[in-house]
Amino acid sequence: MNKKTQLVLASLAAALVAAGCASGPSVAELNALTDKIVKASFRDQSHVKVARLTATDETNTACSEADVAGKPLDEKIAKRIEEANMKAIKWPSDGKFIGDWKQGEAIAQSGRGLTWTDSATALNGGNCYNCHQMDKKEISYGTIGPSLYNYGKIRGVSNPDDPASKPIVEYTWGKIWNAKAYNACSNMPRAGHMGILNETQVRHIVGLLLDPKSPVNQ
Amino acid sequence: MQNRRETLKQSAVVAGLLATAGFPQFAHAAFNKAAFDAKSVQDAAKAAGATSMAESKDVTIIGPDIAENGAVVPLGASSALPGVKHLLIMVEKNPSALVAMFHVTDAVEANFSTRAKMGQSSDVYAVALMNDGRALWAKKEVKVTLGGCGG
Amino acid sequence: MKKTSTLSMAAALMMCVVPAMAQKTASQGIDEYRAMLQDGNPAELFEAKGEDLWKKARGPKNATLEKCDLGKGPGVFKGVFVELPKYFADTQKMQDLESRLVTCMETLQGFNAAEISKTAFGRGEMANVTALATWVAAESKGMKFNLSQSHTQEKTFYEVGKRLFFQRGGTHDFSCASCHGEEGKRIRLQDLPILTKNPGDGVGFAAWPAYRVSNGQMWSMQLRLNDCYRQQRFPYPGFASDATVALSTYLGVNAKGAASIAPAIKR
Amino acid sequence: MADPMRIRAQASGDKATVRVLMSHEMETGQRKDASGKTVPAWFIQEVTAKLNGKDVFSAEWGPAVSKNPFLQFTVKGGKAGDKIAVTWKDNKGDTRTDEATVS
């Protein structure tokens, strides 16, 4: 399959040369070739299917294209993507936003799930510490995302059930469920939207961030 | 003139002599299963022949403060004291504490390094087992972190 | 239900200020740990095995690899590593070190290249390809990366590789750039090299193959990329597929001027 | 057959520092494979070394020594040109000896 694609590519290059096109293939041609190479190079493995790449949504395709161009996403497209993702957020079915921070901590620590070496049925981890500081006692944390140490405290959440805390509580849920609702090309996964975490797990993570008793707020 | 049987007999005797008298300091080279099976630092030291234990400034344990991965933790043990028979490297919280037992001879310095597996953060020990049965030890804490993507 | 307020967004931005002080001791400790491992890199074991495999008559044709052309003529192994992937006229393909070694194993020794490519990492002839790659890479230690961009396919593969680097997808929307697009970032305690430009000597592309202490395995660049894609929650990239070779071309060209330290020792 | 060791021995003053890398799985006997079966313990138990044919070093190892083990020791009186031979033996009875010259 390698050879085939590369031969196609060679003939494409040859055609371009014949046409006197010294500057090489166009952006559209390169994009098409990349798609072709992706289809020929990746294969299903266990429960991880190639469709994860080929059938991705506009959020990803538009942001990828902007990244390649090295320019921020067009404002109108960004707005449209954010609105679509905002609409897709599922709010807690029972109105309860705050779960058990202890279980939230375990989910935040775990980086497991959804790779081809993971079981297809086990509960997934949240990968939070890979990118964020949270509990100060955990020194092994990443810096791709901002520190979330004292997340609730900094925002003045002393009682998450207080109506005054509502905007923060809801924002926190929404951000975890679908980060792209607030920033179209955020690096952060859409934990709820993409089925990485279920509603109960998201609730526990919100608890970890906002419960005044959580180590995050100590 | 020797017959074949006698030759065999004689070489067996020679082999026996070599085995017992050859190098007395290597007499205990056989694997000390009891010491390696022992769970705790104390039990492992006892199984290796220790009759008493005491912390000592004359024994040195070398290891990192933090290990990026518990699968490979560089550890070293040394002592300049006279009369050291064995140098032991131990990890307190491993299922069995004893990692390695080095035999000190006139031909080598009492200074050895290897790398150990650690299941979790733990104190690591260098134990110098003296000719008189005393076990002199030094310890330090090694933190084992969860690296990579936490998978 | 309507959610977000600009107020909470502003609050979210404010928390970006990270206290860096407490971290210092941890990263110093990690540096000290890494320094302790430098002396005695088990990659040397694989290097020795690779050199042996190069000179040994093997395969259905019972031949050595000593006439293998890795890009600088038959039998030349010094300096080839820092110029790969490149275009090879005989196969009419862009090839990296590993796919080129497999080509040589087929043409010179009579092995079945497709069979080798299907073999799991660390097994059978694939383990031998990794050992060979480790040795060939070691023969360019200290040399600076300098990939050719003169052939049309070399330029095209760079462009395709760039698109693959920024391709978001999978369940987590990750691209290579999610982790390797910015300077000075970390996953957990691991420093992440920026790979859109030369990240410096012996960093990123210039460090692999490397011995992984976490699993005691020798990892080639193909396996490095394979596992990146696994953790990106992407599907499985074929060994030496056009995608992995194109991505390598992008990384290799970007690393121009970086001195190779391969084989390195890694977490 | 086990792969060869890498032995580096360097003389300085009146002693030689020996660094050895061995190719060995060092299975603890506590790990489970993909099918849930315990992988049996398989580890180097004894390491010995000779300088110019004379025993100088011996050690006993347990399964907690890392995979592809590293070992460093210092031989008194070792000088450039001396031959250092290292032997390991594992719990399955497999053994391997390699030799290097002190530089």
Side-chain angles (χ1 to χ4, degrees):
Chain A
M1 76 179 175
N2 243 340
K3 205 152 206 168
K4 223 175 173 178
T5 328
Q6 291 215 343
L7 286 179
V8 169
L9 164 63
S11 59
L12 173 88
L16 290 166
V17 172
C21 175
S23 61
S26 72
V27 167
E29 282 166 328
L30 285 167
N31 289 348
L33 181 64
T34 304
D35 288 346
K36 199 176 280 177
I37 284 180
V38 164
K39 282 196 191 104
S41 298
F42 289 88
R43 61 170 164 83
D44 295 349
Q45 178 85 352
S46 172
H47 53 97
V48 180
K49 308 290 184 224
V50 174
R52 278 195 190 177
L53 292 186
T54 52
T56 193
D57 62 4
E58 194 204 2
T59 305
N60 279 329
T61 51
C63 292
S64 302
E65 222 168 289
D67 288 344
V68 171
K71 290 184 207 140
L73 195 57
D74 175 83
E75 244 177 77
K76 262 192 270 166
I77 300 174
K79 198 144 194 108
R80 189 174 75 224
I81 288 174
E82 285 167 12
E83 279 168 6
N85 280 297
M86 182 66 82
K87 232 183 266 172
I89 296 176
K90 279 198 194 128
W91 302 98
S93 47
D94 56 1
K96 272 188 69 185
F97 285 83
I98 309 292
D100 171 14
W101 67 260
K102 280 185 192 133
Q103 292 184 61
E105 167 69 12
I107 296 163
Q109 285 282 359
S110 171
R112 287 203 180 274
L114 297 166
T115 74
W116 68 67
T117 51
D118 286 308
S119 137
T121 51
L123 278 182
N124 306 315
N127 281 297
C128 307
Y129 279 100
N130 286 346
C131 301
H132 297 280
Q133 181 182 35
M134 300 183 84
D135 179 350
K136 208 158 192 190
K137 284 195 291 297
E138 176 55 86
I139 57 163
S140 183
Y141 63 83
T143 59
I144 296 170
S147 169
L148 302 176
Y149 175 61
N150 278 350
Y151 176 91
K153 202 174 179 180
I154 288 167
R155 287 162 185 75
V157 179
S158 52
N159 174 13
D161 298 327
D162 186 332
S165 303
K166 208 175 170 206
I168 301 289
V169 171
E170 289 180 347
Y171 163 74
T172 306
W173 179 282
K175 181 81 182 174
I176 293 162
W177 193 276
N178 192 333
K180 269 76 169 181
Y182 306 88
N183 175 1
C185 296
S186 165
N187 275 333
M188 186 163 152
R190 295 172 279 181
H193 182 68
M194 298 299 283
I196 300 163
L197 301 179
N198 63 31
E199 190 183 311
T200 310
Q201 290 177 300
V202 171
R203 193 175 285 119
H204 294 324
I205 296 286
V206 175
L208 178 67
L209 289 168
L210 291 174
D211 191 326
K213 289 189 290 295
S214 156
V216 165
N217 294 316
Q218 302 315 306
Chain B
M1 204 192 185
Q2 289 178 329
N3 64 27
R4 201 179 123 77
R5 181 178 288 171
E6 275 167 351
T7 314
L8 277 173
K9 216 194 254 168
Q10 277 198 351
S11 47
V13 170
V14 172
L17 279 172
L18 277 176
T20 51
F23 302 96
Q25 63 207 22
F26 292 95
H28 38 58
F31 186 66
N32 186 338
K33 192 171 181 306
F36 282 96
D37 282 349
K39 303 282 172 246
S40 70
V41 170
Q42 286 74 13
D43 290 351
K46 211 180 284 173
T51 51
S52 68
M53 293 196 73
E55 190 166 4
S56 167
K57 282 197 185 70
D58 298 314
V59 177
T60 308
I61 176 81
I62 292 171
D65 296 337
I66 301 180
E68 199 174 10
N69 194 280
V72 179
V73 183
L75 296 176
S78 64
S79 175
L81 287 173
V84 180
K85 197 171 163 189
H86 311 295
L87 266 175
L88 284 59
I89 291 177
M90 305 211 216
V91 176
E92 188 177 31
K93 288 192 183 159
N94 271 6
S96 298
L98 184 55
V99 174
M101 172 151 50
F102 298 96
H103 305 305
V104 182
T105 69
D106 294 341
V108 291
E109 291 190 350
N111 184 353
F112 309 96
S113 301
T114 186
R115 294 168 184 168
K117 297 170 198 152
M118 289 178 65
Q120 56 183 310
S121 299
S122 168
D123 280 343
V124 296
Y125 284 76
V127 181
L129 203 55
M130 311 303 286
N131 284 325
D132 61 11
R134 280 180 306 149
L136 304 176
W137 54 264
K139 68 171 180 179
K140 79 163 280 174
E141 193 197 4
V142 176
K143 275 207 186 83
V144 175
T145 62
L146 180 63
C149 300
Chain C
M1 247 166 143
K2 269 247 173 83
K3 296 308 131 189
T4 188
S5 71
T6 30
L7 219 139
S8 61
M9 286 298 286
L13 287 172
M14 269 171 63
M15 69 181 175
C16 290
V17 188
V18 186
M21 279 306 287
Q23 244 355 84
K24 234 176 171 180
T25 46
S27 53
Q28 277 171 348
I30 295 285
D31 286 346
E32 179 196 308
Y33 166 81
R34 287 179 189 155
M36 289 174 103
L37 289 181
Q38 286 311 313
D39 194 17
N41 179 354
E44 286 178 29
L45 296 166
F46 297 84
E47 214 180 297
K49 191 178 164 196
E51 181 174 13
D52 193 49
L53 284 164
W54 179 264
K55 294 173 180 163
K56 205 151 134 192
R58 296 194 326 122
K61 293 188 186 170
N62 196 36
T64 74
L65 287 170
E66 286 165 312
K67 289 201 179 89
C68 177
D69 182 355
L70 294 172
K72 292 172 97 76
V76 179
F77 48 80
K78 272 233 180 313
V80 293
F81 175 66
V82 290
E83 296 182 10
L84 290 171
K86 65 174 283 192
Y87 178 74
F88 285 87
D90 57 351
T91 53
Q92 297 189 348
K93 276 171 70 171
M94 285 293 293
Q95 294 192 287
D96 67 351
L97 173 56
E98 287 159 81
S99 64
R100 190 61 189 174
L101 282 166
V102 172
T103 296
C104 285
M105 287 167 78
E106 180 166 77
T107 53
L108 298 174
Q109 298 182 310
F111 286 106
N112 182 332
E115 277 304 313
I116 296 176
S117 299
K118 271 194 283 185
T119 310
F121 289 104
R123 300 275 168 81
E125 286 303 324
M126 185 62 96
N128 289 337
V129 173
T130 302
L132 281 160
T134 304
W135 172 67
V136 173
E139 289 295 322
S140 294
K141 212 178 240 182
M143 298 171 87
K144 289 184 190 324
F145 274 91
N146 185 23
L147 268 66
S148 162
Q149 280 283 276
S150 56
H151 194 277
T152 325
Q153 285 221 44
E154 290 170 341
K155 284 185 216 148
T156 305
F157 260 51
Y158 176 85
E159 284 299 325
V160 171
K162 183 177 182 183
R163 281 159 178 77
L164 291 166
F165 185 83
F166 289 109
Q167 180 181 27
R168 298 175 185 228
T171 50
H172 288 57
D173 306 337
F174 289 147
S175 70
C176 306
S178 306
C179 288
H180 298 288
E182 265 184 271
E183 216 142 355
K185 298 290 181 186
R186 274 188 356 215
I187 269 196
R188 290 278 181 170
L189 281 173
Q190 264 68 52
D191 296 320
L192 295 162
I194 179 164
L195 298 177
T196 54
K197 57 170 201 163
N198 176 0
D201 291 347
V203 182
F205 198 73
W208 302 85
Y211 183 79
R212 292 290 305 272
V213 300
S214 52
N215 51 25
Q217 294 169 358
M218 192 67 219
W219 277 29
S220 65
M221 194 64 201
Q222 279 289 327
L223 178 50
R224 172 63 280 176
L225 294 179
N226 180 283
D227 202 60
C228 280
Y229 273 134
R230 183 183 68 83
Q231 299 199 69
Q232 256 173 271
R233 276 74 182 178
F234 274 33
Y236 194 99
F239 173 81
S241 58
D242 286 351
T244 55
V245 173
L247 189 53
S248 294
T249 305
Y250 177 71
L251 302 178
V253 169
N254 288 346
K256 188 182 172 78
S260 171
I261 59 156
I265 183 163
K266 295 273 183 184
R267 178 190 67 83
Chain D
M1 245 284 276
D3 286 329
M5 286 177 244
R6 295 280 276 180
I7 306 170
R8 278 178 302 151
Q10 215 158 14
S12 102
D14 59 350
K15 59 194 177 187
T17 302
V18 184
R19 293 182 186 85
V20 190
L21 281 165
M22 306 167 203
S23 186
H24 204 284
E25 285 300 317
M26 300 301 286
E27 270 300 339
T28 58
Q30 306 193 2
R31 210 169 54 90
K32 288 196 165 65
D33 66 11
S35 63
K37 276 209 319 235
T38 303
V39 184
W42 179 31
F43 59 97
I44 293 173
Q45 273 188 327
E46 284 174 46
V47 187
T48 54
K50 291 175 195 276
L51 184 74
N52 297 327
K54 188 176 155 274
D55 286 302
V56 288
F57 167 87
S58 76
E60 295 163 46
W61 284 359
V65 171
S66 302
K67 180 176 174 177
N68 293 325
F70 171 80
L71 163 70
Q72 181 177 320
F73 61 93
T74 307
V75 183
K76 293 177 186 167
K79 55 190 187 303
D82 284 353
K83 295 264 187 266
I84 183 93
V86 179
T87 300
W88 59 250
K89 192 176 154 195
D90 68 24
N91 65 323
K92 290 184 182 172
D94 197 7
T95 179
R96 163 142 207 136
T97 301
D98 289 281
E99 198 181 71
T101 306
V102 179
S103 62

